[in-house]
């Protein structure tokens, strides 16, 4: 099954109260996530998370839907369609 690359940006309003639910969803899709970055500063009410993932369109769509169902979470992404599996590193 074809897996594509998604660069996903999340804005989490009321980060302190929403973070546990967001984290549970991200953890469920952990096998598809290649990289995760976040700004965890406790002084910020708004959290920013970026994910790079390799997933089928269905997997990505399910994760996005779950995240969007949380009030105060916004999800935007860039989608790169791949004909082959993404290789993080190649040896010669």
């Amino acid at each position: 099954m074809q897996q594509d690359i998604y660069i996903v940006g999340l804005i989490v309003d009321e980060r302190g109260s929403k973070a546990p639910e967001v984290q549970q969803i991200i953890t469920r899709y952990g096998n598809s996530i290649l990289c995760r970055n976040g700004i965890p500063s406790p002084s910020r009410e708004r959290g920013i998370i970026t994910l790079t993932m390799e997933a089928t369109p269905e997997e990505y769509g399910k994760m996005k839907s779950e995240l969007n169902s949380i009030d105060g979470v916004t999800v935007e992404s860039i989608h790169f369609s791949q004909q082959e599996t993404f290789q993080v590193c190649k040896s010669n």
Side-chain angles (χ1 to χ4, degrees), residues 14-76:
E14 300 175 30
R15 189 183 64 78
S17 63
K18 308 291 178 162
E21 192 173 0
V22 170
Q23 181 58 42
Q24 284 180 340
I25 293 169
I26 290 172
T27 298
R28 275 199 298 277
Y29 293 91
N31 288 341
S32 299
I33 295 172
L34 302 171
C35 179
R36 175 190 174 170
N37 294 305
I39 300 174
S41 174
S43 65
R44 297 179 187 257
E45 281 297 310
R46 175 176 272 186
I48 302 168
I49 300 170
T50 57
L51 305 172
T52 302
M53 63 187 302
E54 182 180 30
T56 65
E58 294 79 18
E59 289 170 320
Y60 167 73
K62 287 170 66 175
M63 184 189 77
K64 181 178 180 180
S65 178
E66 289 179 39
L67 289 167
N68 277 328
S69 73
I70 303 170
D71 188 42
V73 174
T74 304
V75 182
E76 296 289 339

Side-chain angles (χ1 to χ4, degrees), residues 2-6 53-57 79-83:
Q2 179 177 329
Q3 293 190 326
D4 294 339
I5 302 299
Y6 297 86
M53 63 187 302
E54 182 180 30
T56 65
H79 172 218
F80 298 96
S81 181
Q82 299 290 318
Q83 296 302 318

